[in-house]
Amino acid sequence: MATFDIVMPKLGESILEATITKWFKGVGDTVEEEDTLLEIATDKVDSEIPSPVDGVIVKVLFEEGALVPVGEVIAVIDMDGDGSALPEESEAKPAAPSKEEAKAETPVNKVESEDFSGSDKFFSPLVKSIAAKEGISAAELDGISGTGQNGRVRKDDVLSYLENRGAGATKPTASSAPATKAPAAQAPPVSTNEGDTVIQMDRMRKMIADHMVMSKQVSPHVTNFIEVDVTPLVMWRNKVKSEFQKREGQKITYMPVFIEAVAKALKEFPGINASVDGDSIILRKNINIGVAVALPTGNLIVPVVKNADQKSLLGITVDMNKLANDARSNNLAPDDIAGGTFTISNFGSFRNLTGTPIINQPQVAILATGNIEKKPAVLETPTGDVIAIRHKMILALTYDHRAIDGALAGNFLRYLADLLEQYDVDRNV
C-alpha cells in the first residue's frame, strides 16, 4: 500500500498557518491529479488546493474551520486506488470528519470543555486544546502575553506559562492583564432602529477591519501633502496611449508611472522602504510596491509588483494590468499579495481630491494619489508671470512616526513630485 500525505502548503514568506474553509472531497472519495481537494484561507487570500496524485482519500485530519500550521499533514491519499488503507469502520464520510472522529484522530483540533470565545484575542485550535488539557481557564489564557505576530499567543507562550505556574507563579485573573499592555478600547454599544438594515461582515471585511485597527494601534500615523503639476505627464500619456495599446495590447494608465517614480524615490530614500521590529528598523533590500485594488464585492486587496525598481515601464504596466485583472476575477495567487514593502492607494480613480490611507503593516508608509484636475496656475516666464491652465494633483504620504520624521517624509515627497513634474514629454516606451 502506497500512501501520500497532503500537507498544508506554504502560501508566502510571512504566512505560517491557514484556515480550512471547505472540503470538496471526503474520506472514501476517489480523486484524480489536479482535482480540487479543499479551500483554505489566510489573512491575505483564499486558495483552492488540488490533489498532486491519483488515489482514494483515506484520512481527513482536520475539519472545516480548523487553523492549521504550514507543513502539517491534513489528509492522506491511498495511491493504490483501492481504499485498502481505509479504517475498518469507515464508509464514505462527509467532507469534514464528525466531531467524534476529529477528536479521536487529532485531539488538538477540537476543544469542547472551555469556552474561549469571550476574549478579544485570537487563539488557534492548538493553543485552546493545550489550555483545556492543562486546565487553563479562559481568564488565564486571556492574560498570557503572546510573542507571535501582532501579539498572538503561541504554543510556546502557553508552555512557558505552564512552567512558571508550576513553579508557583500566581495565576492571572480576568482583571490582571500584563502591566505593559494598555487596556483595549471598548466599542460603544450600538442600537438598531426600525427600518435599519443589518449586514453581516464577510470574512474578508472582518480581516480588513482587524488589520486596519491593528495598524492604527501599532503606528502613530502622520500625513504630509504636496500639490504636483503633472502637465508634462498628461501630455505624454495623451500622445502615446493609442499607439501603446495598438503595439503592446495593453492600456497604459498613470499608475505604472507612479509605481516607477515611487521605486526611484525609494532607492534614494531607503528609510521609507522599511519596517519596524520592536526597537529595530529594517531597511528592505527589495522594492516591492503594492497597489490597493477595489473588488466587486466592495472589499479591498493589495497585489504587489515585485522588484519594481528593476523593471521597465512596459514591464510594470504588464504586471499591474495582470494583477488588477486577477484581483477582480479572484484569481490572485498567494504570492501575488505577499512581500510588499510600500503601498499606493489611488483615490483619484474615484475622482477624489486625495485621502489619508492607513499604513499597510508591517510597512512604514503608504502613498495616496489624488485626482488629476485642470487648474489655473501662475507660471514664471522670461517676460513675466502668466496665468495658465495646468493639470494638477495632490499626493499624500502617510507614515509611521516611530521610524520616519517629517524631514525624511517631506524630502521623499518633494523628490517624488519633482520626478513627475519633470516628466519627459518625448519619452519612448
Side-chain angles (χ1 to χ4, degrees), residues 286-333:
N286 296 328
I287 295 179
N288 302 331
I289 300 177
V291 179
V293 176
L295 301 177
T297 59
N299 291 318
L300 189 72
I301 200 164
V302 184
V304 178
V305 178
K306 304 288 179 61
N307 299 311
D309 58 316
Q310 301 175 20
K311 294 178 178 176
S312 66
L313 184 59
L314 174 59
I316 293 174
T317 301
V318 172
D319 280 3
M320 190 63 246
N321 288 346
K322 182 180 185 304
L323 288 169
N325 290 333
D326 286 349
R328 296 184 182 110
S329 59
N330 197 31
N331 286 322
L332 285 175

Side-chain angles (χ1 to χ4, degrees), residues 61 64 266 275 285 294 320 414:
L61 301 176
E64 292 178 1
L266 291 174
S275 294
K285 177 183 177 182
M320 190 63 246
R414 181 66 262 173

